[in-house]
Amino acid sequence: MLDVGKWPVFALLPPEELRLIRQACVFGSAANEALYVTVNDEVFALGTNCSGCLGLGDLQSTIEPRRIDVLCGKKIVSLSYGTGPHVVIATADGEVFAWGHNGYSQLGNGTTNHGLTPALVSTNLLSKRVTEVACGSHHTIALTTDGEVYAWGYNNSGQVGSGSTANQPTPRRVSSCLQNKVVVNIACGQLCSMAVLDNGEIYGWGYNCNGQLGLGNNGNQQTPCRIAALQGVNIIQVACGYAHTLALTDEGFVYAWGANSYGQLGTGNKSNQALPTQINTDKERMVEVAACHTSHTSAAKTQSGQVLMWGQCRGQAVASPHLTHFSSTDDVFACFATPAVTWHLLSVDGDDYLTVAQSLKKEFDSPEISDLKFLVDGKCIHVHKALLKIRCEHFRALLNETDEDAIEIHQFSYLVYRAFLEYLYTDTINLPPEDAIGLLDLATFYRETRLKRLCQETIKRGISEENAITLLSAAVKYEARDLEEFCFKFCVNHLTAVTQTQAFADMDHDLLKNFISKASRYGAFKN
């Protein structure tokens, strides 16, 4: 499942809030601005609020999420952002809203006044249903259900496709050679635009000095131009980086062209390519390509779910596709892109699906389908025989010898035994350090090495001047050498306070003698 917590801008959100997120977008010059949609279809924003791009009606930055009331309930289907920054969304009803920086009319409202709240983009779009939006640095394009493309904003290189270099203040249909053709996918580089047709053809327009239009030359294009070099190849998806382009074919091949100073084309070198070049991905079929106009990073996903990345990866140039351990292309941009923004609107699966680990955790101590209960200190703990046999050698032996559906436990407390059984279901322990001593005793008794180690870590994290001697005594008793050394050093480093505790006064005579002797060798009593 996609984890939005990987993006640092969400680091301060409590886990219960993160669990409610269903869609998210991270943007900004330092990936320090974000919008997200909750399971209740409420929309929130947080971050630095440059140019009012959070849509909150002011220019105040906010470390706490604030709700964008006008967008709540709108059902966002597409979202994109420019580096001004400006933000544009399309809703399930086909409406377009835009806000933020507007110095080049990239909000499409006919003015150059910044927009502090989301405003409907209506000119020429009122009778249209928009399904997808894409932003370059300061221009915007939109795709309608009819397969038409509209563009507006900054146009110094022809990126709005109007045939001139005058900025476009309101949405204008991109026609020329796209007239009577059906577009199915769009993307923007910093200063260029790309469109994929339903017949697999691909067109580009705008800035081309790095060859990012794939036309074989470096001349800017003020109207859409077909990439002739891909004739006979059926393109199904396009993605644009800062000044490079990736395209995916229906056979799962990846082509790349444009700027390559960071190896973002994946060709194994750093030479720009003005014509599409097929990338070697070890013959495995690709199902997605990913790039973002704010970075020089590229990613792709294979049919088997493996994710490859190349280009600028945390400042390092990776010139050939590199296999990662990620399960989604989004993770590449969260962990390796600069800035670590999202390349598209993230979608997070709901909680209706539980992983194996989540399902087991949910069933712990639930009487509904359990087939065994432990009686400890007069209380019941409900468990499943099969799981205990799988997880613990002790129980495998014990339960193969008995058909009992209730077992009494006398040598351990309810708190400790419940924590042990819960550990078998969850791989974690949740006990204060003093109680973890009892669990350490149990782990030693049952020869559960990993549990023993977890108990020691819990005890180390919870050590204090008051309980240090108690914990030291336990470490000695259960032969936990590493823990014993840790507790001993803590006692010596806090010797005055520790020797004034009741636990020190009650200390076992032999243990006290050994402690003083060892502390002396350690230099604790030197002036």
Side-chain angles (χ1 to χ4, degrees):
M1 190 185 290
L2 184 68
D3 176 16
V4 294
K6 281 194 172 83
W7 277 269
V9 70
F10 291 123
L12 288 179
L13 263 62
E16 58 271 19
E17 181 74 14
L18 285 174
R19 280 196 291 271
L20 295 176
I21 294 177
R22 288 295 168 267
Q23 293 170 296
C25 181
V26 178
F27 55 100
S29 58
N32 47 6
E33 293 164 312
L35 288 139
Y36 66 88
V37 185
T38 70
V39 64
N40 301 319
D41 214 28
E42 291 187 307
V43 184
F44 290 87
L46 72 158
T48 53
N49 205 11
C50 180
S51 300
C53 65
L54 297 187
L56 297 166
D58 56 45
L59 294 169
Q60 299 298 312
S61 64
T62 174
I63 204 163
E64 298 260 336
R66 287 170 56 193
R67 194 168 63 187
I68 310 176
D69 291 326
V70 68
L71 294 183
C72 292
K74 287 288 182 191
K75 299 203 182 310
I76 298 171
V77 295
S78 179
L79 184 154
S80 191
Y81 54 85
T83 50
H86 74 291
V87 180
V88 184
I89 66 160
T91 70
D93 292 333
E95 293 180 323
V96 176
F97 289 83
W99 62 97
H101 191 280
N102 196 33
Y104 302 92
S105 300
Q106 59 263 50
L107 301 188
N109 58 19
T111 77
T112 53
N113 303 323
H114 295 341
L116 298 183
T117 54
L120 186 67
V121 183
S122 55
T123 304
N124 297 330
L125 293 179
L126 273 179
S127 61
K128 304 291 179 182
R129 289 175 65 93
V130 170
T131 58
E132 189 179 354
V133 290
C135 297
S137 63
H138 299 87
H139 78 287
T140 308
I141 63 176
L143 176 63
T144 71
T145 50
D146 300 325
E148 299 172 340
V149 178
Y150 285 78
W152 58 94
Y154 195 35
N155 193 34
N156 68 329
S157 305
Q159 58 265 48
V160 301
S162 61
S164 78
T165 54
N167 291 347
Q168 179 61 39
T170 54
R172 176 193 175 280
R173 171 118 188 253
V174 181
S175 51
S176 182
C177 58
L178 291 185
Q179 191 78 34
N180 302 319
K181 291 188 167 71
V182 176
V183 175
V184 294
N185 181 224
I186 54 174
C188 288
Q190 278 272 304
L191 299 165
C192 70
S193 306
M194 304 294 301
V196 177
L197 271 53
D198 61 347
N199 65 1
E201 293 177 354
I202 182 167
Y203 288 74
W205 60 98
Y207 189 73
N208 192 36
C209 285
N210 298 288
Q212 55 262 62
L213 299 186
L215 303 173
N217 60 51
N218 294 106
N220 295 349
Q221 297 291 323
Q222 295 175 10
T223 56
C225 193
R226 185 181 168 201
I227 301 179
L230 288 174
Q231 185 165 359
V233 175
N234 194 19
I235 302 297
I236 57 171
Q237 189 213 339
V238 64
C240 293
Y242 186 95
H244 76 286
T245 309
L246 305 174
L248 177 68
T249 76
D250 61 346
E251 293 182 281
F253 298 117
V254 175
Y255 287 84
W257 58 92
N260 197 28
S261 54
Y262 297 93
Q264 60 263 49
L265 300 186
T267 55
N269 59 49
K270 295 183 184 177
S271 303
N272 290 4
Q273 297 288 336
L275 285 169
T277 304
Q278 189 177 329
I279 306 307
N280 177 17
T281 50
D282 290 336
K283 296 190 172 58
E284 191 171 356
R285 186 187 185 96
M286 296 292 144
V287 293
E288 179 181 77
V289 287
C292 176
H293 76 268
T294 59
S295 70
H296 311 287
T297 306
S298 302
K301 188 173 185 177
T302 71
Q303 192 167 29
S304 65
Q306 293 184 307
V307 173
L308 303 167
M309 72 176 185
W310 61 98
Q312 189 180 32
C313 300
R314 277 209 197 134
Q316 184 176 342
V318 178
S320 298
H322 180 84
L323 186 62
T324 71
H325 63 273
F326 298 133
S327 57
S328 108
T329 54
D330 300 306
D331 292 343
V332 170
F333 291 85
C335 302
F336 282 92
T338 307
V341 295
T342 51
W343 73 274
H344 65 166
L345 180 65
L346 302 175
S347 290
V348 184
D349 288 334
D351 280 343
D352 50 341
Y353 171 78
L354 295 178
T355 64
V356 173
Q358 290 167 332
S359 299
L360 293 179
K361 185 176 183 179
K362 186 165 170 271
E363 288 304 322
F364 172 65
D365 203 13
S366 170
E368 196 176 341
I369 57 168
S370 72
D371 55 2
L372 176 66
K373 61 184 176 185
F374 286 95
L375 304 169
V376 193
D377 298 340
K379 299 174 188 171
C380 284
I381 308 166
H382 298 272
V383 290
H384 306 78
K385 290 178 182 177
L387 184 135
L388 298 194
K389 286 182 184 180
I390 292 168
R391 295 281 287 151
C392 177
E393 284 294 331
H394 166 78
F395 286 127
R396 184 172 298 188
L398 175 72
L399 297 175
N400 280 341
E401 294 171 5
T402 178
D403 290 328
E404 297 287 329
D405 56 10
I407 299 173
E408 282 196 61
I409 299 294
H410 301 289
Q411 65 267 52
F412 301 106
S413 70
Y414 171 78
L415 190 71
V416 164
Y417 213 76
R418 191 177 196 281
F420 169 50
L421 294 172
E422 189 171 9
Y423 158 77
L424 296 179
Y425 278 74
T426 64
D427 267 333
T428 58
I429 60 172
N430 185 21
L431 281 176
E434 290 81 0
D435 293 317
I437 294 172
L439 192 55
L440 180 62
D441 180 23
L442 182 148
T444 307
F445 182 75
Y446 285 159
R447 295 179 181 165
E448 286 286 334
T449 311
R450 182 176 179 273
L451 178 58
K452 192 171 176 178
R453 190 171 69 249
L454 282 178
C455 291
Q456 292 181 50
E457 289 169 8
T458 301
I459 291 166
K460 285 180 182 179
R461 285 197 302 269
I463 196 167
S464 67
E465 292 164 349
E466 280 298 317
N467 66 15
I469 291 294
T470 306
L471 301 183
L472 174 64
S473 304
V476 172
K477 179 180 177 183
Y478 301 123
E479 298 180 350
R481 303 291 180 216
D482 178 55
L483 179 61
E484 179 186 342
E485 192 62 23
F486 177 87
C487 294
F488 170 76
K489 284 181 179 174
F490 182 92
C491 291
V492 170
N493 291 334
H494 300 266
L495 194 58
T496 304
V498 167
T499 54
Q500 291 171 358
T501 62
Q502 188 59 45
F504 186 80
D506 297 340
M507 202 170 178
D508 174 79
H509 179 73
D510 288 338
L511 185 60
L512 176 61
K513 199 163 68 175
N514 288 339
F515 175 76
I516 292 171
S517 172
K518 190 175 177 183
S520 174
R521 292 196 301 275
Y522 197 76
F525 304 118
K526 287 181 182 175
N527 289 326

